[in-house]
Amino acid sequence: MNIASVILKDTTREFDKPYHYYIPENMISRVVPGVRVMVPFGPGDRLREGYVFELVSETNCDVKTLKPVRRVIDKNPVLTDEMRRLAAWMKKRYICTYGDALRC
């Protein structure tokens, strides 16, 4: 199964972590690390913008409960590998959220 690890944009510390979403067949070629996507989040499945941080083939979550990526916003990645690594480092080093690090 193709799975995207997504960081939600503009979230609180409580929800500032990677979430796994499955990639529908018609989006596999467009969902790549660094693109922005719209994903359902929470019990009401409210659409939220997020960044694909990486693609994974396995998850600790029950794959039957994974929600799908709904829409790909960008044709090309807006975040490079280096930018994603820097944001992860900044989050740990400065105790900020991914969103704060990405805005810098």
Side-chain angles (χ1 to χ4, degrees):
M1 175 177 271
N2 297 306
I3 301 168
S5 180
V6 176
I7 300 295
L8 297 175
K9 181 179 178 184
D10 298 328
T11 190
T12 62
R13 288 184 194 273
E14 182 180 1
F15 299 106
D16 189 44
K17 62 181 183 177
Y19 292 94
H20 289 165
Y21 291 87
Y22 80 83
I23 305 168
E25 290 293 322
N26 65 333
M27 293 184 192
I28 288 177
S29 64
R30 296 180 300 156
V31 177
V32 296
V35 297
R36 292 176 301 151
V37 292
M38 295 300 289
V39 294
F41 186 75
D45 286 342
R46 189 171 138 232
L47 287 182
R48 297 282 310 268
E49 184 178 328
Y51 298 94
V52 176
F53 253 53
E54 65 179 330
L55 300 179
V56 296
S57 57
E58 295 180 8
T59 180
N60 292 339
C61 305
D62 180 7
V63 290
K64 294 176 184 170
T65 63
L66 290 181
K67 297 175 184 180
V69 171
R70 292 280 176 86
R71 185 166 60 95
V72 180
I73 298 172
D74 306 302
K75 290 184 180 184
N76 298 309
V78 294
L79 299 176
T80 64
D81 291 342
E82 183 179 32
M83 292 166 90
R84 292 191 313 275
R85 284 193 306 271
L86 179 60
W89 176 82
M90 288 175 69
K91 176 182 167 42
K92 288 180 185 176
R93 174 70 170 97
Y94 298 109
I95 312 169
C96 64
T97 65
Y98 280 109
D100 292 336
L102 291 171
R103 271 191 293 282
C104 289

